[in-house]
Amino acid sequence: MLNARFAALLPAALAGAGSFPAALTASRVGPEREAVTAAFASALETGQLVGAAAVLLGGLVAAGLLHRADRPVSTQ
């Protein structure tokens, strides 16, 4: 996901660069380098938010399953 988000945010002139180091090497002008760095930072932020949401969702599911397992079984 990080690479897909990074590639989507790259300037059109650097669309062929597949990774952050390649895009940084290919960009020679100051504003282009700043755009590459901003694209990478945005991709990292998105990845961290998705990861945090996945951890939170997993914790909620685990808590729900543990709560369900703690209930006594009725013998009626």
Side-chain angles (χ1 to χ4, degrees), residues 20-58:
F20 177 64
L24 203 57
T25 302
S27 62
R28 303 215 191 288
V29 184
E32 248 183 17
R33 290 180 78 87
E34 290 175 13
V36 168
T37 304
F40 186 71
S42 178
L44 276 177
E45 181 182 353
T46 302
Q48 288 176 344
L49 288 174
V50 169
V55 168
L56 179 64
L57 181 64

Side-chain angles (χ1 to χ4, degrees), residues 55-68:
V55 168
L56 179 64
L57 181 64
L60 290 174
V61 168
L65 291 174
L66 287 173
H67 180 68
R68 180 185 234 184

